[in-house]
Amino acid sequence: MPIDLPIWPPAWPAIEAAALATIRSGDWGSYRSAACQRLRSELAEAFAAEHARLCCSGTAAVELALRAAGVGPGDEVILAAYDYPGNFRCVELLGARPVLVDLAPESPTLAPDHLPEAASENVKAVIASHLFGQAADVARIRHHCDQRGWIFVEDACQTPGMLIDGRPAGSFGHLATLSFGGSKPLTAGSGGALLTSDRRMAARLGPLLERPSDAFPLGPLQAAVVSPQLKRLDRMNEQRRDTARFLAAELSGQTPQWQLLARDSAGVAPAFYKLAWCARSAEQRVRVVERASELGLPIGPGFRSSHRASRRRCRQPLPLERSRRLGDTLFVLDQTALLVAEPQRRELAALLQQLHDETSRLDDEISP
Ligand SMILES: *Cc1c(COP(=O)(O)O)cnc(C)c1O
């Protein structure tokens, strides 16, 4: 029996009501939309930012953040080899050169220790993403950036509502990015936002966005449907977090061939968009993803690692061993599974156990 997953995007009456109100008031057809203004101030408040700007995607938000940081031809931008692949592309598109560093131990996020070795006089900015519910070490990354005059772009596209030492993820970078993409915890099908409390960055975003029409707009209807999700974000995050913790406890010691990437870090209230494991091998991951689909589990491979990009395209001052391994073996359980009703959590754990056992047995036969 396949497990009963909640539908995504959510079909809440509050979302329908917000869309309808935007249509009935005529706000849907306005350049100066009240829904957009409202979402901007709600985001600024929720993310403890002086300024929130809306845009058409998380990817555009990263690109605009780099533009505001002044990144252009001849500059370098440091990021982890294992990251949302669009971030590498954004750096290249601006004519700048990615400088790849590896991941912190037991984490899918950038290793701050590697920043000094990646430094050069051409480095302008650092991008670090919070991934799979795990917080990047933003305090240390920000410290390195401040020491060297680099701009820190904090990619919080996956983790709206995560708290780090009591502060929202997205409030540590000079600029931070959010995504409202179709699968994300806050969704409008597509969309994104930029957050900053840095006057200089806010001033540079203005002319990039207002030309004089909004060049990367999030429309009023889209803005309207994000607002009710923002109101329920904490509760939804709690639900996803509870399921992640339940699975971690229930499967602890039971899935020896998988490594769960959900370490509890002091001071972090994680927000899971996807829950990640590493399989024992790339071959095992292929089997896990295939079998998961037969079992009705929403599991897919993680990101590709950029460590294979040619040295002409990027600088690689350090070994990228962890990025390579995560690129080969990481797989993710989607948030729809993390949002299952509480009584179904046990069933979900049992299915994951079955998935582990079946794909492990095969693995043992192939490479004893
Ligand atoms: C999804 C995502 C993005 C891009 O967001 P889009 O809205 O899909 O363009 C950027 N960074 C990370 C970490 C993401 O997960």
Side-chain angles (χ1 to χ4, degrees):
M1 256 276 287
I3 192 164
D4 199 10
L5 298 175
I7 58 156
W8 196 265
W12 303 336
I15 292 178
E16 193 178 320
L20 203 56
T22 306
I23 290 171
R24 289 193 174 147
S25 66
D27 189 50
W28 65 275
S30 163
Y31 260 134
R32 303 214 140 270
S33 146
C36 293
Q37 283 307 326
R38 188 170 60 239
L39 180 59
R40 281 180 65 181
S41 40
E42 288 168 354
L43 289 172
E45 192 187 335
F47 292 91
E50 300 279 331
H51 309 271
R53 303 295 310 233
L54 307 178
C55 64
C56 55
S57 71
T59 304
V62 173
E63 185 177 331
L64 288 160
L66 293 176
R67 284 189 195 278
V71 171
D75 294 331
E76 292 188 324
V77 176
I78 301 175
L79 72 168
Y82 189 88
D83 194 1
Y84 171 67
N87 292 353
F88 184 103
R89 302 273 303 276
C90 279
V91 176
E92 281 193 311
L93 270 167
L94 295 175
R97 197 167 188 226
V99 181
L100 301 182
V101 295
D102 209 6
L103 303 172
E106 293 177 53
S107 166
T109 65
L110 180 145
D113 288 349
H114 294 184
L115 291 175
E117 285 189 70
S120 83
E121 54 192 38
N122 297 323
V123 172
K124 269 264 173 67
V126 175
I127 306 173
S129 306
H130 304 290
L131 294 180
F132 317 124
Q134 302 294 285
D137 192 345
V138 280
R140 283 181 62 210
I141 296 168
R142 176 70 192 240
H143 177 73
H144 281 289
C145 288
D146 284 341
Q147 275 190 331
R148 292 171 174 80
W150 300 338
I151 299 297
F152 174 23
V153 177
E154 182 186 4
D155 182 340
C157 286
Q158 290 201 358
T159 54
M162 172 189 268
L163 290 177
I164 303 166
D165 294 328
R167 277 171 57 189
S171 66
F172 292 83
H174 294 91
L175 292 143
T177 59
L178 298 176
S179 165
F180 307 136
S183 63
K184 299 286 161 92
L186 294 172
T187 183
S190 59
L194 283 143
L195 309 167
T196 187
S197 295
D198 184 305
R199 280 231 307 276
R200 209 169 32 129
M201 293 303 126
R204 289 197 195 154
L205 283 175
L208 284 169
L209 292 164
E210 303 149 23
R211 293 160 41 186
S213 294
D214 191 343
F216 304 88
L218 183 81
L221 275 166
Q222 287 181 299
V225 298
V226 173
S227 286
Q229 297 175 61
L230 195 57
K231 286 198 185 73
R232 282 174 71 163
L233 181 61
D234 287 345
R235 247 185 304 159
M236 300 290 283
N237 276 339
E238 215 171 288
Q239 203 180 333
R240 286 181 282 250
R241 186 157 59 227
D242 285 351
T243 307
R245 288 199 170 133
F246 177 86
L247 294 177
E250 195 76 3
L251 298 175
S252 168
Q254 304 299 307
T255 53
Q257 300 219 347
W258 297 353
Q259 188 202 352
L260 178 64
L261 286 177
R263 208 172 33 141
D264 272 327
S265 311
V268 176
F272 290 96
Y273 157 57
K274 294 177 190 275
L275 185 61
W277 286 264
C278 284
R280 202 173 65 169
S281 66
E283 296 72 27
Q284 187 184 65
R285 179 179 67 178
V286 172
R287 291 197 300 277
V288 166
V289 171
E290 264 177 28
R291 184 70 186 123
S293 141
E294 292 163 7
L295 292 172
L297 284 168
I299 285 180
F303 301 134
R304 267 179 66 111
S305 162
S306 299
H307 72 278
R308 282 196 195 83
S310 83
R311 301 301 167 103
R312 260 184 309 136
R313 290 175 67 192
C314 59
R315 192 155 66 77
Q316 303 188 9
L318 291 150
L320 300 170
E321 197 39 46
R322 261 189 72 67
S323 294
R324 184 193 62 75
R325 198 171 100 72
L326 267 59
D328 285 348
T329 65
L330 189 141
F331 62 93
V332 289
L333 178 68
D334 186 68
Q335 61 160 329
T336 49
L338 300 180
L339 290 169
V340 291
E342 208 180 321
Q344 282 195 303
R345 284 178 183 156
R346 204 164 292 281
E347 191 186 337
L348 176 63
L351 273 173
L352 286 162
Q353 182 73 64
Q354 182 186 349
L355 178 63
H356 169 273
D357 295 349
E358 289 181 3
T359 51
S360 298
R361 273 202 296 279
L362 264 166
D363 196 50
D364 293 342
E365 280 161 21
I366 289 165
S367 51

